[in-house]
Structure formats: C-alpha cells, structure tokens
Amino acid sequence: MMRIVLCCATHRGYRVLQQLHKLAPECELVVFSFREDPWEPPFMDSTRDLTLSLGGQFFESRKLTPPALEQFWESTPVDLLLSVSWRYMIPAHIYRRARLGAYVLHDSMLPLYRGFSPTVWAMINGEKTTGASLFEMADAVDAGDIVDQQSIPIGDNEAITAILARVTETYLTLLERNLHNLITGTARGIPQDHARASYTCKRRLTDNEIDWSLSATQIHNLVRAVSSPYPGAFTYHNGQILRVWSASRITPSRRYIGAIPGRVVEVQPGKGTVILTGQGELLLGNVQYEKSAPTRADLLLNKIGQSLGRQH
C-alpha cells in the first residue's frame, strides 16, 4: 500500500486531505498538523477527526523532528510527502525519505512571492493576480522545480476571504491534474528562474496597524488583505483598539489643503464614516472595539473632528 504523508494546517489543509482520499482512496494517509493560533478559525481537531475516520495516522506537532517522532521516521517507509499551509521548513533528511519525492502547494506564481503569507502581501501590494504553484521541495525557501501552476485573479474590491477560497479550489485542481503523475513517479518539474524571485517577510499582528499617512488605496488594500479569517487591520480611537473590517475608497476624493490624516471628515448615516488619509478619503464600513460586537462605523465615529490613530 502506498503511504502519503501530508503536513498541513488551516481549513485548506483539511480540504486537500479530503481531495487526497477522493483521488487515491487506496493510499494510506499519515497527517501532521498543529493547534491553531488563538486568532485563527479552528482546524486541527477537524483535520485529526477526518484523518482517523479515513483509517490514517495523525500526529500533532509543529516540527517533524522532535525525539518522539524519530521512531516513526526510522521505521515507516514514506512514498510521497505533501506540504500545504505548513509554516516551518522541513529538513532535507526528512523530505528526502519520500521515495517518490516531496512536494509543496504554495499560493503564488513562483518564483514571485516566495515565503510567508503570499496572498496577504499580494493584496497589500495591490496586485491584480495571485496564483497557486505545485513544486518540488528544496533546501531553499520555495525554490524547487515547478510541476504545475495557475494564475488567480484578485478583484480591486475583493476581501481576502474570497481570494483564499479561490486559491484553495485551485489547489484541489492542481492536485487532481497531477496526483497520478506524483504517485507513479512520472511528474517532471521545470526549474524556476531564480533571478526573478521575490520574497515576503513573516507578518506579525502589529503589522496590521493602520498608518493614516498612507494613501486611501494603500489602507484599503491592507484592510481587505487582513480581514477575516485574519485578525483584521486596526487603529486606535480614544485610546482603545478599533478593528476595521471593511472600507471603500471615495472617488473622486475632495482636495484638502488643510489635512490631518486619521481625522473624521464626514459621517454618512447608514453607510459609515469618512476618514481623511495621507492621500484621499476612505469610507469605513464595519468596525469593532476589542471585546465588543462589530458595528457600522457611523454608529461609533459619529462626530466630525474625531481622530483615529495613536495620539501624541
């Protein structure tokens, strides 16, 4: 019986596990996952339950090399290894154990956007497209030969929830197109053009703070890039954290020659509140104080002259 090891996280990992069983029900599945972070939608328990219901083995671990797993790797032959939404480098002495190779599903058109949170960064940067790539695991980050990839559009006003769903469906398509070749050892990769490679930093929660001196377009891109399932863009109001879940650009924007970025300049009842930025105006839609329910911005920011951001 062929044994496939899947290292996965998030609901996307769960969907790939379902697809693997659908496409290769005769294969034995061994799944590694870990407990979600406090801000994330839960995924580990459902991934574990599905794995066990399919007769597979499940291991909870953020790393593949703790002492408790040494016996598994020494005694268990691995035919194929797949990585999906895995957040840690897999050492060469582990991934090279896979007889038919080790492969990664990554959400960008490699060699562009190697690294962390590529879709988030693509949206922050105002990209019109992202992508999904299936490639061979390598010692360097996201640098292996590409087996297959597909471009995915990003709408100007779309939030990341829609883009993530689109990327996930593309992952499933790539798997359906290529799994037969992977498990028969006939998959062939094309080397990446490393001279074209670009990289992304790992993001921290503090990176989601809104800088009101940026343009309305830049802030709009941040808001939609880190909205649900991510923790959301945030600012400060009266010393409290205020999360901004939705926003839209005002076009055409009025021309200010007396400007204070972060200042409330208009309240639109039933719609939201207009905030001045470093360039242009932004209509805030849904906002939320910590430990409070989301609400429309015009119900909280209802006075012209109020300011958002850190007050000095």
Side-chain angles (χ1 to χ4, degrees):
M1 179 180 294
M2 179 164 294
R3 181 177 290 113
I4 300 176
V5 169
L6 174 64
C7 304
C8 66
T10 76
H11 183 64
R12 179 177 290 164
Y14 179 92
R15 293 289 309 282
V16 168
L17 175 59
Q18 287 181 313
Q19 183 78 325
L20 275 175
H21 177 68
K22 174 185 174 183
L23 296 174
E26 72 286 353
C27 290
E28 178 185 346
L29 298 172
V30 180
V31 178
F32 291 85
S33 191
F34 48 83
R35 182 67 60 187
E36 55 276 350
D37 290 329
W39 55 265
E40 290 184 279
F43 61 80
M44 196 201 76
D45 288 344
S46 59
T47 301
R48 179 197 58 217
D49 293 347
L50 177 59
T51 302
L52 298 179
S53 74
L54 298 176
Q57 295 184 71
F58 181 87
F59 295 93
E60 178 182 351
S61 182
R62 289 180 178 268
K63 303 288 185 179
L64 302 186
T65 55
L69 289 174
E70 285 183 7
Q71 184 177 1
F72 169 82
W73 293 114
E74 290 297 332
S75 63
T76 309
V78 175
D79 295 298
L80 184 68
L81 189 149
L82 295 173
S83 173
V84 180
S85 298
W86 192 254
R87 297 166 187 171
Y88 309 95
M89 289 293 289
I90 297 176
H93 73 274
I94 295 294
Y95 76 73
R96 287 176 183 161
R97 289 177 178 272
R99 178 177 63 88
L100 297 171
Y103 298 86
V104 183
L105 282 161
H106 178 78
D107 45 330
S108 81
M109 291 293 287
L110 293 173
L112 303 178
Y113 285 89
R114 293 177 177 176
F116 296 93
S117 306
T119 300
V120 173
W121 280 112
M123 295 182 69
I124 288 173
N125 292 338
E127 301 282 8
K128 304 299 184 185
T129 61
T130 182
S133 297
L134 173 65
F135 67 98
E136 297 176 13
M137 203 170 288
D139 292 348
V141 174
D142 300 333
D145 293 356
I146 296 172
V147 174
D148 198 359
Q149 60 184 178
Q150 186 170 316
S151 179
I152 298 164
I154 299 175
D156 288 343
N157 296 305
E158 285 188 301
I160 198 164
T161 302
I163 310 305
L164 291 178
R166 203 171 293 149
V167 172
T168 298
E169 292 303 319
T170 306
Y171 273 21
L172 303 184
T173 298
L174 292 181
L175 200 58
E176 184 171 12
R177 279 206 303 245
N178 295 280
L179 186 60
H180 174 76
N181 289 341
L182 296 183
I183 63 179
T184 57
T186 57
R188 295 293 178 266
I190 299 173
Q192 296 187 41
D193 181 355
H194 301 298
R196 294 182 54 241
S198 59
Y199 296 85
T200 58
C201 289
K202 185 174 183 178
R203 294 185 61 80
R204 301 164 63 176
L205 295 180
T206 52
D207 297 327
N208 295 345
E209 182 175 355
I210 296 170
D211 178 355
W212 294 103
S213 68
L214 298 177
S215 71
T217 294
Q218 289 172 301
I219 297 170
H220 175 249
N221 287 342
L222 173 67
V223 168
R224 65 197 186 99
V226 299
S227 62
S228 180
Y230 294 105
F234 71 93
T235 186
Y236 290 87
H237 179 236
N238 292 335
Q240 298 184 66
I241 290 178
L242 183 71
R243 300 205 178 273
V244 179
W245 293 111
S246 63
S248 56
R249 291 163 293 183
I250 301 291
T251 54
S253 176
R254 293 168 291 192
R255 184 171 67 93
Y256 280 81
I257 58 173
I260 300 176
R263 185 62 51 86
V264 173
V265 293
E266 184 182 353
V267 178
Q268 297 186 1
K271 292 184 178 180
T273 301
V274 180
I275 310 296
L276 192 63
T277 74
Q279 182 181 340
E281 300 166 289
L282 194 68
L283 176 67
L284 303 191
N286 288 329
V287 298
Q288 180 181 16
Y289 283 130
E290 296 285 270
K291 299 181 180 179
S292 296
T295 189
R296 265 197 344 263
D298 57 288
L299 299 178
L300 290 181
L301 308 172
N302 52 14
K303 294 181 181 179
I304 292 176
Q306 292 178 303
S307 281
L308 299 181
R310 294 178 185 267
Q311 303 302 306
H312 303 289

